[in-house]
Amino acid sequence: MGGKNPYMAEKPARLPTRKYQITFMPVNVVAEVDPAQLDEPHNGLKGSILHIADEHGIEIDHACGGVCACSTCHVIVREGFDTCGDSTEEEDDMLENAPGLKPTSRLACQAVPDGSKDVVVEIPDWNRNLAKEPPH
Ligand code: FES
């Protein structure tokens, strides 16, 4: 899925201007983010944590396709929280539905780091799609 939420005001893009890294925990994958290499996202805002995760093969659930209409992409920003921009009222409303909410929780599809610092993101246990059903 993907696209736009028609009930949400368009958020101005605030993309990073320099290269930086996002470390995804506990899978311990370091994603190098080069703003010049960012493609159009399949899910979430361009440059969002979900977009970067998608591009690096890291699975974060995203039931609504990254349009701020669920809370399945909840992540906890362990470092670099202040670089991820302010959350909107719509994001805060959705986050209230997420289990295990922390002061530095964000929706991965809405949080766009500005690249001024490296970022460390924890994917909560319940959001990790590590145990998959084997093919039939
Ligand atoms: S994927 Fe639904 S809010 Fe982020």
Side-chain angles (χ1 to χ4, degrees):
M1 200 162 114
K4 294 184 176 168
N5 183 337
Y7 301 104
M8 207 174 121
E10 194 82 18
K11 191 174 167 180
R14 190 188 43 81
L15 293 171
T17 54
R18 60 180 281 274
K19 294 180 186 178
Y20 74 102
Q21 295 180 335
I22 302 181
T23 302
F24 290 90
M25 302 298 290
V27 290
N28 207 20
V29 173
V30 179
E32 304 281 343
V33 183
D34 180 349
Q37 303 293 320
L38 281 177
D39 292 328
E40 286 305 309
H42 295 292
N43 301 290
L45 297 177
K46 186 170 184 174
S48 66
I49 293 170
L50 181 62
H51 180 198
I52 305 304
D54 267 355
E55 288 197 335
H56 290 80
I58 299 158
E59 292 198 34
I60 298 176
D61 273 351
H62 50 277
C64 74
V67 296
C68 198
C70 71
S71 59
T72 58
C73 68
H74 169 216
V75 293
I76 300 158
V77 182
R78 294 292 183 196
E79 289 177 30
F81 179 76
D82 56 323
T83 72
C84 295
D86 293 332
S87 57
T88 61
E89 199 176 323
E90 291 88 351
E91 180 181 349
D92 291 341
D93 287 349
M94 283 298 151
L95 262 176
E96 284 177 16
N97 302 316
L101 203 60
K102 301 279 190 248
T104 59
S105 289
R106 291 296 304 265
L107 293 179
C109 67
Q110 302 299 305
V112 180
D114 64 12
S116 59
K117 285 185 207 162
D118 291 340
V119 173
V120 177
V121 168
E122 178 185 342
I123 305 168
D125 280 353
W126 53 267
N127 195 337
R128 267 178 255 138
N129 213 357
L130 298 178
K132 291 194 176 227
E133 199 173 316
H136 298 280

